[in-house]
Amino acid sequence: MAENTQQFIAVAQIASELHHAKSIAIDLSITSKNARALAARAGTTAAGFNEITGFIENLANLTITTANLVNQQAVKLVHDAARQFRDNGLLRQLQSAYQHSASIGQQRLIKLLRQTESAIADAQINIDKDMNQLTQRIEQTQNDLRSAKVVTVVARIESTRASADLQSSLESVADNVERSSLKIAHHLRQAQSFLIQQGDVE
Amino acid sequence: MKTHYLYQSEQHSWLFFGRDENKKDDIIDTNQYLIKTKRRAILLDPGGIELFSQMLTAVLQHIELEQLTDLFASHQDPDIISSLGLWDQCLDNATLHAPWLWEGFIRHFGMNSIRYNALPDSGGSLDLNGVTIEFIPAHYLHSSGNFHVYDPTAKILMSGDIGAALDHSGAPIFVEDFAQHIPKMQYFHERWMPSNRAKNDWIKRVRQLDIEYMAPQHGAIFKGDMVKRFLDWFEALEVGSAIES
Ligand SMILES: [Fe+2]
Ligand SMILES: [Fe+2]
């Protein structure tokens, strides 16, 4: 029973980490829009600029899309886990009632008892499936984040070629992308560790 | 959990459940009542989460689970209805009759399959398989949206928190000595009941009912002459004691 409680809490924690990751990805998308504005100002003189904004935009969108998917899934998981948590509570009550009942009461209880047991088992199958998908999606986002490093490097190279006023803007774009991706990576790692913890419990 | 038949006829019967020996000391002892007919049954003030498995055990001793088609909550208190979320998981086709005022609040206990029959302030009635029971308004006694259940055939008034006494779980089911019973209920009524006006209005209406048993949600049941003695005592009592006059 304690296992189920831990699973329920772990899922809520994972959902919360992903929520953080998503809001940072939204910031990243704003950064990409700023970078595009910079590109427009720079006109055709900075050649590698469009590439950079393209990179950032893709990265931000990818992260937001994945985070959204993961979020939806986490919300469903929290819901399923909470339901199973409640069902487990009910099962304990039914078992206690069964124990204290005379045979007539036991006969009247048995159907409900079996129904509740199988609802819990079914829910567990769903939860496991969703947990696996969640693990895969988090790994995928982590891979996507690695390309953020490329963006930062390119932005920094471009900044050395650009005019003085653009230079600092470009550097701040690079800093932003770097910071955001580090933060997102941190939350994903946290989420992963909760996934592993609850996996250990099972 | 003790069980006692308050009334039995060809058509229906009233069962009392209470004085639970396994109850934890720090929760208030409660009485639950079941009215059962041949095909249907209603559980009045089903009780708290802490009591659920004992109640389920007791109820299934007397009826099939499918027979429990109705629940009643006199008001929104946890000792009345916090078990709702668990009953909701067990009953596929049941209706909860409770004050309209508390619908949005009571639903917080968890309601997915049970229907909510929102009782209007004026009250109402229910035909339970040919047996009519009435929902009598008892607002502000103590809850601002509050009902009692009256069965004119059995002459039983289930009076919720009115007539409640704080007693130990070994106490007798019926009031035996009224004078000795007063200290067990005086503070409860003075402090939990907020309105003298509501109290007097309720007494006036209840005096017109033919009552053999007045069955509260806590403590002993009033039988026969004890009902009148309670009404007289309650009429003379000043309530709303937390506000200094
Ligand atoms: Fe109450
Ligand atoms: Fe109560």
Side-chain angles (χ1 to χ4, degrees):
Chain A
M1 296 307 162
E3 292 171 21
N4 184 264
T5 316
Q6 284 190 26
Q7 176 174 278
F8 171 49
I9 295 166
V11 170
Q13 280 167 326
I14 293 164
S16 142
E17 292 298 333
L18 291 163
H19 181 76
H20 286 307
K22 187 188 160 186
S23 58
I24 298 162
I26 290 167
D27 287 347
L28 195 60
S29 141
I30 294 166
T31 302
S32 109
K33 288 197 179 78
N34 289 342
R36 195 158 23 150
L38 273 181
R41 258 172 61 201
T44 51
T45 49
F49 229 85
N50 285 325
E51 267 175 68
I52 302 168
T53 56
F55 255 131
I56 302 175
E57 246 160 84
N58 281 343
L59 178 63
N61 287 339
L62 214 65
T63 313
I64 292 170
T65 309
T66 317
N68 270 338
L69 282 173
V70 166
N71 250 327
Q72 274 169 25
Q73 205 167 9
V75 167
K76 185 176 167 287
L77 253 172
V78 172
H79 182 267
D80 287 351
R83 212 208 137 92
Q84 198 202 29
F85 182 66
R86 274 210 319 273
D87 281 347
N88 263 305
L90 176 67
L91 183 65
R92 274 198 301 277
Q93 301 264 13
L94 294 179
Q95 282 164 341
S96 160
Y98 190 84
Q99 234 170 48
H100 295 100
S101 287
S103 65
I104 176 89
Q106 290 188 336
Q107 275 168 36
R108 286 166 171 168
L109 266 173
I110 197 73
K111 193 174 128 207
L112 186 61
L113 200 61
R114 294 282 169 265
Q115 269 173 7
T116 310
E117 277 167 353
S118 73
I120 291 168
D122 289 351
Q124 191 57 53
I125 292 169
N126 277 331
I127 289 170
D128 287 347
K129 212 166 68 192
D130 284 351
M131 283 285 193
N132 276 333
Q133 249 182 50
L134 200 59
T135 311
Q136 281 168 16
R137 286 218 165 109
I138 289 173
E139 273 166 18
Q140 193 203 321
T141 317
Q142 275 172 328
N143 287 335
D144 296 342
L145 273 176
R146 285 190 192 114
S147 62
K149 279 211 181 87
V150 182
V151 176
T152 1
V153 171
V154 175
R156 287 199 205 289
I157 293 168
E158 282 300 318
S159 76
T160 60
R161 292 189 206 151
S163 61
D165 63 324
L166 274 181
Q167 217 168 57
S168 66
S169 305
L170 269 174
E171 265 163 24
S172 93
V173 166
D175 287 348
N176 245 325
V177 174
E178 202 167 31
R179 242 193 341 261
S180 299
S181 53
L182 279 175
K183 277 197 230 159
I184 292 174
H186 164 77
H187 288 299
L188 293 180
R189 267 200 311 278
Q190 287 288 109
Q192 252 174 340
S193 76
F194 289 129
L195 269 168
I196 291 164
Q197 271 174 32
Q198 84 81 30
D200 285 348
V201 169
E202 275 183 277
Chain B
M1 185 79 71
K2 280 203 185 98
T3 303
H4 181 84
Y5 272 96
L6 274 186
Y7 172 85
Q8 261 179 304
S9 78
E10 186 61 24
Q11 244 196 336
H12 76 297
S13 48
W14 273 73
L15 274 146
F16 155 91
F17 302 109
R19 308 288 186 275
D20 182 34
E21 316 80 35
N22 303 314
K23 177 189 79 63
K24 292 178 193 155
D25 287 340
D26 50 5
I27 58 174
I28 188 167
D29 192 33
T30 53
N31 303 333
Q32 291 69 229
Y33 301 92
L34 183 81
I35 308 175
K36 75 171 187 168
T37 64
K38 283 209 176 62
R39 286 193 299 277
R40 285 172 66 181
I42 183 169
L43 187 58
L44 311 181
D45 285 353
I49 292 176
E50 288 287 346
L51 211 72
F52 175 77
S53 78
Q54 295 94 303
M55 273 309 295
L56 186 64
T57 307
V59 166
L60 292 189
Q61 200 52 38
H62 301 275
I63 56 167
E64 297 280 348
L65 195 57
E66 294 74 27
Q67 209 175 332
L68 189 56
T69 53
D70 297 82
L71 302 173
F72 166 79
S74 59
H75 59 292
Q76 83 294 1
D77 269 350
D79 65 326
I80 300 282
I81 191 65
S82 68
S83 60
L84 181 64
L86 289 159
W87 287 110
D88 187 70
Q89 286 177 279
C90 298
L91 304 174
D92 291 331
N93 187 33
T95 303
L96 171 71
H97 308 269
W100 73 270
L101 192 68
W102 295 117
E103 176 167 358
F105 298 69
I106 285 178
R107 282 185 181 276
H108 275 281
F109 287 129
M111 254 181 96
N112 291 310
S113 66
I114 294 178
R115 286 176 300 274
Y116 195 104
N117 176 32
L119 299 173
D121 281 346
S122 55
S125 66
L126 174 71
D127 181 334
L128 197 71
N129 215 190
V131 176
T132 303
I133 58 170
E134 292 166 17
F135 302 118
I136 307 279
H139 307 308
Y140 303 105
L141 296 167
H142 66 90
S143 171
S144 43
N146 204 127
F147 291 95
H148 295 159
V149 173
Y150 177 60
D151 177 343
T153 315
K155 298 179 183 171
I156 299 174
L157 177 71
M158 199 291 276
S159 62
D161 278 330
I162 292 191
L166 304 174
D167 215 337
H168 58 95
S169 53
I173 293 177
F174 297 99
V175 177
E176 287 160 3
D177 182 326
F178 193 80
Q180 269 183 28
H181 197 60
I182 291 174
K184 297 174 184 169
M185 53 179 188
Q186 181 155 349
Y187 179 75
F188 189 95
H189 289 79
E190 283 172 344
R191 182 62 183 84
W192 263 276
M193 302 297 159
S195 162
N196 286 309
R197 210 176 107 202
K199 177 199 73 163
N200 291 332
D201 174 74
W202 177 85
I203 291 169
K204 208 170 81 194
R205 285 182 288 116
V206 165
R207 281 199 196 279
Q208 286 159 22
L209 304 174
D210 187 2
I211 300 170
E212 180 57 26
Y213 294 100
M214 190 182 108
Q217 192 233 349
H218 309 278
I221 296 169
F222 300 83
K223 190 182 169 196
D225 186 47
M226 294 291 178
V227 177
K228 192 189 168 297
R229 291 188 69 179
F230 172 79
L231 294 177
D232 291 345
W233 170 81
F234 193 33
E235 194 161 39
L237 190 75
E238 280 282 312
V239 300
S241 68
I243 305 296
E244 284 170 40
S245 51

